[in-house]
Amino acid sequence: MRVLGVDPGLTRCGVGVVEGVAGRPLTMRGVGVVRTPTDAELGQRLVAIEQGIEQWLDEHRPECVAVERVFSQHNVRTVMGTAQASAVAMLCASRRGIPVALHTPSEVKAAVTGSGRADKAQVGAMVTRLLRLAAPPKPADAADALALAICHIWRAPAKNRLQQAVQQQAALHASKHASKGRTP
Amino acid sequence: MRVLGVDPGLTRCGVGVVEGVAGRPLTMRGVGVVRTPTDAELGQRLVAIEQGIEQWLDEHRPECVAVERVFSQHNVRTVMGTAQASAVAMLCASRRGIPVALHTPSEVKAAVTGSGRADKAQVGAMVTRLLRLAAPPKPADAADALALAICHIWRAPAKNRLQQAVQQQAALHASKHASKGRTP
């Protein structure tokens, strides 16, 4: 499974591609940051983010895009920009029919470090170890994007099992109703 | 001047096109709502908003797009959706090179009713009167989009005068420096 992780931001939008399956060593396929100038108009910055994300999708053809779920308990100004950058990332993926998954910052931290309250350095250290890199990816937004992708690969099997269980239950329910229908 | 006003929202995104200049009667060229199903995935909803906005841009070829500036003092969940829908509207306009203007809700209310704290009914009544409509546009999001467009047309001359003054000042400053340079 190849996943593009996106840590959304207007000034720095972290992007990282990880390939692998849960339970096996993972491989980094690419990491970087889409930057937009702080003095540009908001609309122009969103266009620059769209172009950047499109390039990453073109180059890496991910099967899924994992985006950080944005909450508004943080700084008000930052959150609006983050929400807008995340909207562009989701739009680019969905337009191509690529599934989008959202993970909260604490889900990501818990997935890679074991603690939902881990700091940036700890996340960076674990990403470096898990992907067998020579040094932590910089800036932190790039490391966070890789952590998002890792989190998604590791959480996906559990989610799939849950979906299968729900589908089996629904199928069972439907067949019961169908047999009832046949014996009125 | 033809302006597309956008009252951003994920479930209902109000759109309205107004043509005219400050000081003359204004004309409504179109009004409507881009809707997305609440049970669809977020990425799919953003794609639907993009398609809707693109249709309005194709059909009406506005010279400017006026979008409501989103604040986060409101309901947390709603605000994130509003920020994301507004990002899509700004992206669509900027991608075509159409200037985007942001106006706050109180600027819009003050422009059309004289009070920044006017309620929805008052805004609807004034939009109806100013555009000489038979009845207030429904839903309120559609009326708000028209109010945004009206606000932009009326505020634009003041902004242009301000820009001209700034440019004149800058030109004056530059010519002073240039003449200083010539007489060392």
Side-chain angles (χ1 to χ4, degrees):
Chain A
M1 184 191 236
R2 192 182 302 150
V3 178
L4 170 67
V6 179
D7 182 32
L10 271 185
T11 307
R12 286 186 308 276
C13 189
V15 279
V17 180
V18 178
E19 188 159 1
V21 290
R24 296 268 195 91
L26 303 169
T27 309
M28 183 181 82
R29 294 287 176 215
V31 65
V33 177
V34 176
R35 293 174 195 272
T36 76
T38 50
D39 58 349
E41 290 204 358
L42 182 50
Q44 294 303 332
R45 300 181 79 178
L46 297 172
V47 170
I49 290 171
E50 180 185 44
Q51 289 169 346
I53 298 286
E54 286 290 333
Q55 277 179 11
W56 279 82
L57 293 174
D58 279 342
E59 191 174 337
H60 292 280
R61 307 261 157 210
E63 289 142 77
C64 180
V65 174
V67 182
E68 189 181 291
R69 190 185 290 277
V70 185
F71 286 106
S72 50
Q73 60 247 40
H74 313 291
N75 177 297
V76 166
R77 276 187 69 91
T78 318
V79 150
M80 302 315 274
T82 310
Q84 289 165 332
S86 78
V88 174
M90 286 187 275
L91 178 69
C92 291
S94 294
R95 216 160 40 189
R96 293 179 182 227
I98 303 173
V100 174
L102 300 173
H103 299 286
T104 66
S106 52
E107 281 170 354
V108 175
K109 288 173 188 171
V112 300
T113 74
S115 162
R117 284 171 295 170
D119 62 14
K120 291 255 173 216
Q122 218 180 326
V123 171
M126 282 308 295
V127 164
T128 310
R129 187 176 305 169
L130 293 166
L131 298 175
R132 291 152 290 132
L133 308 176
K138 294 205 172 145
D141 315 76
D144 285 347
L146 291 171
L148 262 156
I150 296 171
C151 168
H152 184 72
I153 291 171
W154 285 355
R155 286 174 64 98
K159 281 198 179 172
N160 287 347
R161 280 200 300 274
L162 191 69
Q163 278 172 357
Q164 277 169 11
V166 169
Q167 280 164 3
Q168 278 169 7
Q169 202 60 36
L172 197 70
H173 190 75
S175 72
K176 269 188 191 167
H177 273 265
S179 48
K180 266 185 200 164
R182 263 181 256 126
T183 56
Chain B
M1 184 192 239
R2 192 183 302 150
V3 178
L4 170 67
V6 179
D7 182 33
L10 272 184
T11 307
R12 287 186 308 275
C13 190
V15 278
V17 180
V18 177
E19 189 159 2
V21 289
R24 296 270 196 89
L26 302 169
T27 309
M28 182 180 81
R29 293 288 176 213
V31 66
V33 177
V34 176
R35 293 175 196 272
T36 77
T38 50
D39 58 350
E41 290 203 359
L42 182 49
Q44 295 302 334
R45 300 181 78 178
L46 297 173
V47 171
I49 290 171
E50 181 185 44
Q51 288 169 347
I53 298 285
E54 286 289 333
Q55 278 179 11
W56 278 82
L57 293 174
D58 279 342
E59 192 174 336
H60 292 279
R61 307 263 157 207
E63 289 142 78
C64 180
V65 175
V67 182
E68 190 180 291
R69 189 185 290 276
V70 185
F71 287 106
S72 50
Q73 60 247 40
H74 313 291
N75 179 297
V76 166
R77 276 187 70 90
T78 318
V79 151
M80 302 315 273
T82 310
Q84 289 165 332
S86 78
V88 174
M90 286 187 275
L91 178 70
C92 292
S94 294
R95 217 160 39 191
R96 293 178 183 229
I98 303 172
V100 175
L102 300 173
H103 299 286
T104 66
S106 54
E107 280 170 355
V108 175
K109 289 173 187 172
V112 300
T113 74
S115 163
R117 283 171 295 170
D119 62 14
K120 292 256 172 215
Q122 217 179 326
V123 171
M126 282 309 294
V127 164
T128 311
R129 187 177 305 168
L130 293 166
L131 298 175
R132 289 152 290 131
L133 308 176
K138 292 205 173 144
D141 314 76
D144 285 347
L146 291 171
L148 262 156
I150 296 170
C151 168
H152 184 73
I153 292 170
W154 284 354
R155 286 173 65 98
K159 281 198 180 173
N160 288 347
R161 279 200 301 274
L162 191 68
Q163 278 171 356
Q164 278 168 10
V166 170
Q167 279 163 3
Q168 279 169 5
Q169 201 60 35
L172 198 67
H173 191 73
S175 72
K176 269 185 190 169
H177 275 265
S179 47
K180 266 185 200 163
R182 262 181 257 126
T183 55

